[in-house]
Amino acid sequence: MRVDYSVSEIVELTGLTQGSSAVGRLVSGKTVFVDQGAPGDIVAVEITKDSKRHCQARILDLIEAGPSRVTPPCPFYAQCGGCPWMQVTYEEQLRSKRANVVEQLVRIGGKDRASAEALIASPIASKRQLNYRNKVELHAAYDNTKKHQFRIGFHHPGSHTIVETKSCLVAAKNIEKVPGALRGALRYAQGNQDLGIFRVGLRASERTGSLEIALWTTPGPFPRARVSSILKDSLKPTSIVRVMADPGKARKIKGVEALAGKGYWEEKLLGLTYKVSAPSFFQVNSAQAESMIKLVLDGLAISPESYCADLYCGAGTFTLPLAEHCGEVFAVESQASSVRDLRRNLEVNDLFAEVIGGDTARELPELGELDGLVVDPPRVGLAASVPSDIAATGTKRFAYVSCNPSTWARDVALIESSGYRLISATPVDLFPQTYHIETVSIFEK
């Protein structure tokens, strides 16, 4: 392709951001963010969005590839957008993820760079860089104007356009090629009728052989028997469920019904059994979830006499191991489906914890003195009152598991102002080929 250099500028990309883009500087000195770039690349770019302090651009021509650039193994890489760092070596991905955690701790957390560098450990690498995800979510839509009316796949970056792929290389082996088979089965099941399916979740475990298909649909009539029969014949799942909800970011679940099989997905972590409902959160990289559990248990230094709490506990990723090793455990979770799953998982594993269905910020002050606790909040981080409420428990140590370096760094400053100090932080790479990183941090009074 001939490049129109009259609309382009030559840029050397110097790093990866805490996002999908690589970063460089224009001749003017303005920062430019470039998708699908790699550190060391020299590229001709076209500005697509300009603002006072920075701009965004797309690559017109790769003039010289940087030392960290590789050929993405996925044929759908450029269209799908699910793996925005697949063009970068895994070694550079890990280095950049750690650098981004350090940068947030300096810029937002208020640490000097030397202290931040000393606190952040080397990342724990994922043994698998492909085929690691136990869960895949596909977007779906029914369009009367198209020849193939029902579409299912991944969203194109920055849009709601559905990219239909036959496979997903980061999905676990037993669901890697399911997207293509699922598309054919659901098109056949629907015919010319819109069944209101707007999302499909797949969960698979190589450890238990469990495979669940969760159909997210709008409420209303649904041909349960026909759809479940077709999916059973084509994909052999152990569970098919229907989740009734309204599409959108703030979906309120109206109901869940089992169409076939067990009605839940099953996984094992460190010998413990987890049975998880479709709406409930669970870590997508099982091997790395085990790494996080070990870091938490080692960091807390708990004993069989310890009195501990697990806040934002979900279906029990950390609650169950704590219940194995502590004298008494309180678990707090606000999502109803996760609370039900946690109670079931405790019973299945013959363990006990006091399960509290409620908001962490409201329930924490009622727990009294603790010997240790775990917080694993959503991306928005801790509620403003939580750091001081943690201090009120008198716990000598606690673990903070974060999926967002920015809100984690903000909370580090709040926690340290409440009488604790950060003694270690270990990035754990649950999401190879992406910019996402989990951080397990330990605080001491």
Side-chain angles (χ1 to χ4, degrees):
M1 180 182 71
R2 179 173 292 180
V3 176
D4 182 1
Y5 284 98
S6 67
V7 299
S8 71
E9 185 168 332
I10 308 300
V11 176
E12 181 177 1
L13 302 178
T14 55
L16 294 167
T17 64
Q18 189 190 324
S20 61
S21 305
V23 64
R25 288 194 181 275
L26 302 177
V27 172
S28 65
K30 183 182 288 189
T31 300
V32 59
F33 299 106
V34 182
D35 284 342
Q36 300 181 13
D41 282 354
I42 298 175
V43 292
V45 301
E46 179 184 19
I47 305 303
T48 56
K49 187 176 181 180
D50 203 357
S51 63
K52 186 176 181 181
R53 295 185 178 180
H54 56 79
C55 59
Q56 297 175 5
R58 67 183 183 93
I59 297 175
L60 293 176
D61 187 25
L62 177 60
I63 297 170
E64 182 179 330
S68 62
R69 175 173 284 277
V70 295
T71 300
C74 178
F76 310 105
Y77 153 77
Q79 292 79 38
C80 165
C83 297
W85 282 13
M86 192 175 267
Q87 76 283 4
V88 180
T89 63
Y90 191 53
E91 292 74 19
E92 178 60 29
Q93 291 183 33
L94 292 176
R95 191 203 67 77
S96 295
K97 289 182 182 187
R98 180 185 180 277
N100 284 335
V101 175
V102 169
E103 185 63 28
Q104 299 309 306
L105 192 55
V106 172
R107 188 171 64 85
I108 299 175
K111 295 284 187 185
D112 64 82
R113 191 163 296 277
S115 297
E117 289 283 0
L119 285 167
I120 308 301
S122 297
I124 295 180
S126 178
K127 291 181 180 178
R128 294 182 180 179
Q129 289 91 61
L130 300 174
N131 301 123
Y132 66 83
R133 288 189 65 100
N134 59 43
K135 182 181 183 182
V136 173
E137 292 187 351
L138 302 168
H139 301 282
Y142 191 89
D143 188 346
N144 288 316
T145 65
K146 302 291 183 181
K147 180 179 179 182
H148 298 295
Q149 295 172 320
F150 180 71
R151 299 179 66 82
I152 181 169
F154 303 99
H155 276 161
H156 184 78
S159 77
H160 292 290
T161 302
I162 293 176
V163 177
E164 296 188 310
T165 71
K166 293 182 179 180
S167 61
C168 176
L169 288 187
V170 294
K173 273 288 186 184
N174 48 349
I175 54 172
E176 177 185 338
K177 297 182 179 180
V178 165
L182 183 66
R183 181 177 304 111
L186 287 178
R187 279 180 177 168
Y188 178 67
Q190 292 206 120
N192 293 322
Q193 181 184 8
D194 183 4
L195 299 182
I197 300 172
F198 60 87
R199 173 181 163 192
V200 179
L202 302 170
R203 273 180 168 149
S205 169
E206 296 179 355
R207 302 176 180 192
T208 67
S210 183
L211 169 60
E212 180 170 79
I213 301 172
L215 304 173
W216 291 67
T217 80
T218 52
F222 192 81
R224 299 168 181 82
R226 172 177 168 80
V227 172
S228 60
S229 175
I230 291 170
L231 291 177
K232 281 192 296 183
D233 289 344
S234 57
L235 296 168
K236 304 296 188 289
T238 57
S239 174
I240 304 172
V241 299
R242 179 191 180 203
V243 183
M244 290 165 283
D246 292 324
K249 291 184 178 180
R251 289 187 296 266
K252 184 175 181 181
I253 294 171
K254 305 292 181 66
V256 180
E257 56 184 10
L259 303 184
K262 296 181 177 180
Y264 58 81
W265 173 71
E266 187 172 345
E267 182 60 300
K268 284 188 177 292
L269 300 180
L270 298 176
L272 296 167
T273 298
Y274 295 79
K275 297 181 178 181
V276 185
S277 302
S280 298
F281 172 80
F282 198 80
Q283 298 291 357
V284 302
N285 188 327
S286 297
Q288 290 294 75
E290 291 179 328
S291 297
M292 293 199 301
I293 293 170
K294 292 174 183 176
L295 285 170
V296 166
L297 295 178
D298 290 346
L300 291 181
I302 54 179
S303 71
E305 290 75 40
S306 296
Y307 175 65
C308 295
D310 184 10
L311 312 179
Y312 313 92
C313 66
T317 302
F318 299 103
T319 307
L320 270 59
L322 285 173
E324 268 195 319
H325 295 88
C326 295
E328 191 168 3
V329 178
F330 284 82
V332 182
E333 171 58 43
S334 61
Q335 187 187 28
S337 67
S338 293
V339 171
R340 290 191 293 268
D341 288 344
L342 175 56
R343 290 187 169 126
R344 175 173 57 191
N345 291 336
L346 287 164
E347 183 178 354
V348 165
N349 291 280
D350 195 24
L351 296 170
F352 177 78
E354 185 71 33
V355 180
I356 302 170
D359 177 74
T360 287
R362 185 178 66 248
E363 301 296 339
L364 176 57
E366 305 299 320
L367 298 183
E369 294 187 2
L370 297 170
D371 298 312
L373 61 87
V374 182
V375 291
D376 184 9
R379 290 188 62 81
V380 294
L382 299 176
S385 62
V386 170
S388 59
D389 289 337
I390 289 174
T393 69
T395 184
K396 293 180 180 179
R397 282 192 173 195
F398 74 92
Y400 183 165
V401 181
S402 170
C403 61
N404 186 335
S406 298
T407 56
W408 169 78
R410 176 203 66 197
D411 291 342
V412 168
L414 293 173
I415 291 166
E416 294 199 327
S417 69
S418 299
Y420 289 86
R421 65 186 179 98
L422 177 63
I423 61 173
S424 69
T426 306
V428 183
D429 189 21
L430 273 74
F431 311 97
Q433 319 305 340
T434 81
Y435 54 87
H436 296 290
I437 187 73
E438 297 270 339
T439 304
V440 178
S441 50
I442 304 297
F443 292 84
E444 186 173 69
K445 199 169 184 64

